[in-house]
Amino acid sequence: MKYLIFSVLMWFFLSCSKKAENEPVTTEKTIETNVASLSEKQIQNAGITTALPEKKQVSSVLKLNGKIDVPPQNIVSISVPLGGYLQTTKLLPGTRVKKGEILAVMEDQQYIQLQQDYLTGLARAAFLENDYLRQKDLNKSKSSSDKIFQQAESDYQSQQVMMKSLYEKLKLAGINPEKLTKDNISRSVNIRSPINGYVSKVNVNIGRYVSPTDVLFELINPADIHLALKVFEKDLDKIKIGQQILAYTNNAPDKKYQCEIILISRDLSSERTAEVHSHFERYEPDLLPGMFMNADIQLDSRSVLVLPDDAIVTYEDKQYIFIPKGKRSFEMKQVQTKTSENGLTEIITKEPLEDQLCVVKGTYSLLMFLKNKSED
């Protein structure tokens, strides 16, 4: 009986010892599957090269879209304050105009009547002024009653008010009262451009009568166009006034336009977006109001460790790099990747890699070698 118990204990002890000896062997095999050992010829055929990781300044980018807009002060609607018939115009949508240039010629009999009233009023104003001065002198010597003097004074002042009114009406119609005489009364007036820009709309034709409320033309000054972008509510805290923007069109994505944020709206739309207005640093004639554009905003800049994109391999949804171990061996290490920019990718590892050589070419050949080795 004692012999039987002793035999069972010896069998149990030997089994445990054998199992403990086998465990390190299994661990060693797992480590070996992460190391690729190649011959000199295999390394040469795979085109394996190494390099140190680089420190780079990278930025996260917020991508937006919107369209070119024109501020209200740069859009001018041209109308005729007194109305009239359109006599002549050569404007078409897109026509360039300069400030002070004649846009159209209007004619109407009311212009003649207005000039007549002004010139007639001037003559009567001169008469009433002389009568007022005469009655004033007579009243001082009591040769004229106060009532007659007061009537003369009232008539003169009323005429002055009427003349000032007619003066302003003439200026409003585009007629210079200072140069108006009985010899240059005209039935037409010139409509001039108040800005430099181009015509965006033409709403009239020759011979048509337009009232003061009708808009003849719409002019745009494109020198102060800006870019209105849509920003979602969750990204509003990432932008600020003065931030730089690179804008581009879908047709020419390589051509960048520098902009600066000048206004951030805090009024959210039903889509939970707000408008961000940015100003172009330089006027570009190719940019037209209403044109859709994309924009990139550089949010922040930080120093990170980067490797070329070819240095990173993806296997089973994880990212890896290879580090030389000895002369012809390369160890595969898992890394995390973040921002990619200009062929370089930010990498994050538990161990520092600043002074560690990494494989930058031939990484997929090493991955295939390890995969085939594990299958064997």
Side-chain angles (χ1 to χ4, degrees):
M1 185 65 179
K2 292 181 179 180
Y3 178 80
L4 179 61
I5 293 172
F6 178 78
S7 299
V8 171
L9 289 174
M10 286 297 295
W11 174 83
F12 179 79
F13 176 78
L14 290 174
S15 298
C16 292
S17 299
K18 186 175 182 180
K19 183 178 180 181
E21 291 174 359
N22 289 337
E23 286 179 355
V25 175
T26 304
T27 304
E28 183 66 22
K29 185 177 181 181
T30 302
I31 294 174
E32 286 297 323
T33 57
N34 289 334
V35 177
S37 298
L38 282 68
S39 65
E40 290 290 347
K41 188 175 182 180
Q42 286 175 321
I43 293 175
Q44 185 177 1
N45 291 338
I48 294 173
T49 58
T50 60
L52 290 172
E54 300 179 44
K55 280 281 189 179
K56 289 285 184 180
Q57 294 291 326
V58 298
S59 302
S60 55
V61 177
L62 178 62
K63 293 187 176 294
L64 305 173
N65 56 70
K67 66 178 182 178
I68 297 176
D69 201 0
V70 181
Q73 62 268 26
N74 282 49
I75 303 177
V76 180
S77 297
I78 305 297
S79 58
V80 183
L82 301 181
Y85 293 91
L86 179 61
Q87 183 182 9
T88 59
T89 185
K90 297 181 179 179
L91 298 184
L92 293 172
T95 303
R96 291 278 174 177
V97 294
K98 295 181 179 179
K99 186 175 182 179
E101 180 182 343
I102 296 176
L103 303 178
V105 178
M106 307 296 298
E107 64 177 18
D108 196 84
Q109 63 179 3
Q110 65 177 316
Y111 302 139
I112 302 174
Q113 186 64 49
L114 183 60
Q115 294 169 84
Q116 176 186 335
D117 292 344
Y118 182 75
L119 293 174
T120 303
L122 279 179
R124 178 164 175 75
F127 167 77
L128 292 175
E129 182 181 12
N130 291 331
D131 184 55
Y132 162 69
L133 295 175
R134 183 171 63 255
Q135 294 298 331
K136 184 178 181 181
D137 291 338
L138 291 173
N139 184 257
K140 286 181 180 179
S141 60
K142 299 302 179 180
S143 300
S144 173
S145 66
D146 290 343
K147 182 179 180 181
I148 294 176
F149 168 67
Q150 291 171 358
Q151 183 64 49
E153 184 181 29
S154 175
D155 291 343
Y156 173 63
Q157 290 178 349
S158 297
Q159 188 66 21
Q160 290 293 100
V161 172
M162 187 182 72
M163 292 310 300
K164 180 61 177 177
S165 175
L166 291 171
Y167 183 92
E168 294 299 330
K169 283 184 178 180
L170 286 171
K171 290 180 65 177
L172 192 63
I175 300 172
N176 187 354
E178 305 290 344
K179 297 182 179 180
L180 181 61
T181 65
K182 62 182 179 64
D183 297 321
N184 62 2
I185 294 176
S186 174
R187 65 180 183 181
S188 62
V189 296
N190 297 326
I191 307 299
R192 299 181 181 273
S193 173
I195 62 170
N196 295 319
Y198 65 89
V199 181
S200 63
K201 293 180 182 178
V202 177
N203 301 322
V204 291
N205 54 269
I206 303 297
R208 178 179 173 181
Y209 180 83
V210 292
S211 65
T213 58
D214 293 333
V215 176
L216 282 70
F217 316 104
E218 190 174 277
L219 308 182
I220 291 179
N221 178 9
D224 195 31
I225 59 175
H226 64 261
L227 182 59
L229 300 167
K230 298 288 186 182
V231 181
F232 283 98
E233 179 183 6
K234 63 182 180 65
D235 296 322
L236 276 176
D237 60 339
K238 301 176 183 177
I239 59 177
K240 59 183 182 294
I241 293 177
Q243 217 163 9
Q244 297 298 308
I245 295 178
L246 287 179
Y248 53 93
T249 63
N250 289 328
N251 295 333
D254 295 332
K255 188 174 183 180
K256 308 292 185 181
Y257 301 92
Q258 193 79 23
C259 303
E260 181 181 338
I261 295 177
I262 58 173
L263 179 66
I264 302 173
S265 172
R266 297 298 173 179
D267 185 17
L268 296 176
S269 68
S270 58
E271 300 174 348
R272 311 305 296 172
T273 62
E275 275 199 347
V276 172
H277 297 272
S278 57
H279 188 271
F280 289 93
E281 290 194 353
R282 186 176 62 183
Y283 167 63
E284 295 286 348
D286 296 337
L287 300 178
L288 302 176
M291 182 181 290
F292 287 96
M293 297 194 77
N294 302 311
D296 294 341
I297 301 180
Q298 304 290 336
L299 296 181
D300 55 20
S301 181
R302 51 199 171 86
S303 179
V304 298
L305 204 64
V306 296
L307 281 172
D309 294 342
D310 292 341
I312 303 165
V313 295
T314 301
Y315 180 64
E316 294 183 348
D317 297 327
K318 296 180 181 179
Q319 285 72 44
Y320 298 90
I321 61 172
F322 285 90
I323 295 175
K325 290 291 183 181
K327 190 175 182 181
R328 297 192 303 272
S329 297
F330 305 92
E331 182 182 0
M332 184 171 73
K333 282 188 174 292
Q334 184 178 346
V335 296
Q336 292 182 345
T337 60
K338 294 188 71 175
T339 307
S340 293
E341 189 177 90
N342 300 324
L344 298 173
T345 300
E346 176 187 356
I347 58 170
I348 300 175
T349 60
K350 295 180 180 179
E351 302 173 2
L353 290 179
E354 286 82 353
D355 301 320
Q356 174 65 61
L357 286 172
C358 299
V359 177
V360 294
K361 287 186 179 180
T363 50
Y364 274 97
S365 297
L366 292 174
L367 179 63
M368 291 300 102
F369 180 86
L370 285 179
K371 186 177 179 182
N372 294 333
K373 180 179 176 182
S374 62
E375 290 176 355
D376 293 342

